[in-house]
Protein backbone atom coordinates (compact mmCIF):
# COMPACT_ATOMS: atom_id res chain seq x y z
CA UNK A 1 0.00 0.00 0.00
CA UNK A 2 1.48 3.37 -0.96
CA UNK A 3 2.33 5.83 1.81
CA UNK A 4 0.95 9.32 1.22
CA UNK A 5 3.60 11.98 0.78
CA UNK A 6 3.71 14.88 3.18
CA UNK A 7 2.90 18.24 1.65
CA UNK A 8 5.73 20.62 0.95
CA UNK A 9 6.66 22.55 4.08
CA UNK A 10 5.36 26.06 4.20
CA UNK A 11 7.41 28.93 5.53
CA UNK A 12 6.44 29.67 9.10
CA UNK A 13 4.93 33.01 9.91
CA UNK A 14 7.43 35.43 11.44
CA UNK A 15 7.39 35.47 15.21
CA UNK A 16 5.47 38.36 16.67
CA UNK A 17 4.97 38.37 20.42
CA UNK A 18 1.38 38.74 21.43
CA UNK A 19 0.43 41.10 24.16
CA UNK A 20 -2.27 39.73 26.37
CA UNK A 21 -3.09 42.90 28.20
CA UNK A 22 -1.02 45.59 29.86
CA UNK A 23 2.69 45.07 30.37
CA UNK A 24 5.33 46.51 32.64
CA UNK A 25 9.11 46.47 32.63
CA UNK A 26 11.94 45.74 35.02
CA UNK A 27 15.71 45.33 34.91
CA UNK A 28 17.06 41.77 34.83
CA UNK A 29 18.86 40.90 38.07
CA UNK A 30 21.45 38.94 36.09
CA UNK A 31 22.49 40.82 32.97
CA UNK A 32 20.80 44.19 33.68
CA UNK A 33 18.82 44.40 30.41
CA UNK A 34 15.30 45.79 30.38
CA UNK A 35 12.62 43.06 30.44
CA UNK A 36 8.95 43.38 29.49
CA UNK A 37 6.44 41.23 31.37
CA UNK A 38 2.66 41.00 31.77
CA UNK A 39 1.31 42.88 34.76
CA UNK A 40 0.43 40.40 37.49
CA UNK A 41 3.42 38.10 36.93
CA UNK A 42 5.30 37.31 40.13
CA UNK A 43 8.67 36.66 38.47
CA UNK A 44 10.30 37.01 35.06
CA UNK A 45 12.87 34.68 33.46
CA UNK A 46 15.39 36.50 31.25
CA UNK A 47 15.70 35.03 27.75
CA UNK A 48 19.33 36.19 27.56
CA UNK A 49 20.88 34.94 30.82
CA UNK A 50 18.06 32.79 32.29
CA UNK A 51 18.12 34.70 35.59
CA UNK A 52 14.79 34.85 37.39
CA UNK A 53 13.89 38.32 38.66
CA UNK A 54 11.06 38.92 41.13
CA UNK A 55 8.44 41.31 39.80
CA UNK A 56 7.04 44.02 42.08
CA UNK A 57 3.42 43.61 43.21
CA UNK A 58 0.80 44.97 40.78
CA UNK A 59 0.09 48.65 41.25
CA UNK A 60 3.58 49.43 42.53
CA UNK A 61 4.88 52.57 40.85
CA UNK A 62 8.44 52.19 39.64
CA UNK A 63 11.03 54.80 38.74
CA UNK A 64 14.42 54.64 37.03
CA UNK A 65 17.80 56.27 37.48
CA UNK A 66 21.28 55.81 36.10
CA UNK A 67 23.90 54.75 38.66
CA UNK A 68 26.44 57.48 39.32
CA UNK A 69 29.19 54.88 39.75
CA UNK A 70 28.88 52.54 36.77
CA UNK A 71 26.10 54.13 34.65
CA UNK A 72 23.85 51.06 34.92
CA UNK A 73 20.10 51.64 34.60
CA UNK A 74 18.49 51.02 37.99
CA UNK A 75 14.79 50.56 38.68
CA UNK A 76 13.34 51.17 42.11
CA UNK A 77 10.01 51.66 43.85
CA UNK A 78 8.93 55.29 43.51
CA UNK A 79 9.30 57.14 46.78
CA UNK A 80 12.58 55.48 47.81
CA UNK A 81 15.17 57.98 49.03
CA UNK A 82 18.24 55.99 47.96
CA UNK A 83 19.04 53.04 45.68
CA UNK A 84 22.09 50.80 45.97
CA UNK A 85 23.49 49.55 42.68
CA UNK A 86 23.80 45.77 42.55
CA UNK A 87 26.75 46.01 40.14
CA UNK A 88 29.12 48.49 41.83
CA UNK A 89 27.33 48.91 45.21
CA UNK A 90 27.19 52.72 44.88
CA UNK A 91 24.36 54.22 46.93
CA UNK A 92 22.49 56.64 44.64
CA UNK A 93 20.26 59.42 45.89
CA UNK A 94 16.78 58.93 44.41
CA UNK A 95 15.05 62.27 43.99
CA UNK A 96 11.71 63.12 42.47
CA UNK A 97 11.73 65.45 39.46
CA UNK A 98 10.57 68.41 41.54
CA UNK A 99 13.51 67.97 43.95
CA UNK A 100 16.22 68.10 41.30
CA UNK A 101 17.93 71.03 39.58
CA UNK A 102 20.44 71.09 36.71
CA UNK A 103 23.61 73.05 36.04
CA UNK A 104 26.47 72.68 33.55
CA UNK A 105 29.88 71.88 35.03
CA UNK A 106 32.02 75.03 35.14
CA UNK A 107 34.97 73.10 33.71
CA UNK A 108 33.88 70.37 31.25
CA UNK A 109 30.29 71.63 30.64
CA UNK A 110 28.77 68.21 31.53
CA UNK A 111 25.13 68.56 32.56
CA UNK A 112 24.93 67.89 36.30
CA UNK A 113 21.91 67.14 38.51
CA UNK A 114 21.78 68.22 42.11
CA UNK A 115 19.27 68.48 44.95
CA UNK A 116 17.52 71.82 45.39
CA UNK A 117 19.13 73.77 48.18
CA UNK A 118 22.66 72.49 47.54
CA UNK A 119 25.38 75.17 47.53
CA UNK A 120 27.65 73.35 45.10
CA UNK A 121 27.88 70.22 42.98
CA UNK A 122 30.98 68.17 42.18
CA UNK A 123 31.33 66.82 38.65
CA UNK A 124 31.80 63.05 38.55
CA UNK A 125 33.72 63.36 35.27
CA UNK A 126 36.38 65.99 36.06
CA UNK A 127 35.94 66.53 39.86
CA UNK A 128 35.36 70.25 39.36
CA UNK A 129 33.09 71.87 41.95
CA UNK A 130 30.53 74.30 40.55
CA UNK A 131 28.81 76.65 43.00
CA UNK A 132 25.05 76.91 42.67
CA UNK A 133 22.37 78.68 44.65
CA UNK A 134 21.06 82.18 45.25
CA UNK A 135 24.33 84.12 44.91
CA UNK A 136 24.80 86.06 41.68
CA UNK A 137 28.49 85.24 41.42
CA UNK A 138 29.50 81.64 41.08
CA UNK A 139 32.70 80.56 42.78
CA UNK A 140 34.26 77.51 41.23
CA UNK A 141 37.25 75.61 42.46
CA UNK A 142 39.10 72.47 41.53
CA UNK A 143 39.18 69.95 44.38
CA UNK A 144 42.11 67.63 44.66
CA UNK A 145 40.97 64.05 45.08
Amino acid sequence: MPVPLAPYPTTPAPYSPTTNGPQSQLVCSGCRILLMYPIGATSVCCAVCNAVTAAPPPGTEMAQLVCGGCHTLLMYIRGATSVQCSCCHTVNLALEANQVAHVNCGNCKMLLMYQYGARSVKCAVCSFVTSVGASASTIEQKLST
Side-chain angles (χ1 to χ4, degrees), residues 38-118:
I39 291 179
T42 57
S43 60
V44 183
C45 182
C46 178
V48 175
C49 70
N50 292 323
V52 176
T53 304
T60 304
E61 284 192 58
M62 301 298 287
Q64 299 176 352
L65 63 79
V66 176
C67 176
C70 67
H71 305 289
T72 299
L73 178 66
L74 304 176
M75 292 191 76
Y76 62 96
I77 296 174
R78 188 173 301 281
T81 56
S82 61
V83 181
Q84 184 173 16
C85 179
S86 61
C87 295
C88 69
H89 305 293
T90 298
V91 176
N92 297 274
L93 189 59
L95 299 173
E96 296 296 325
N98 62 356
Q99 298 174 310
V100 178
H102 298 88
V103 68
N104 288 323
C105 174
N107 184 46
C108 71
K109 308 303 180 205
M110 174 70 73
L111 183 62
L112 306 174
M113 286 182 15
Y114 64 95
Q115 186 173 9
Y116 276 129

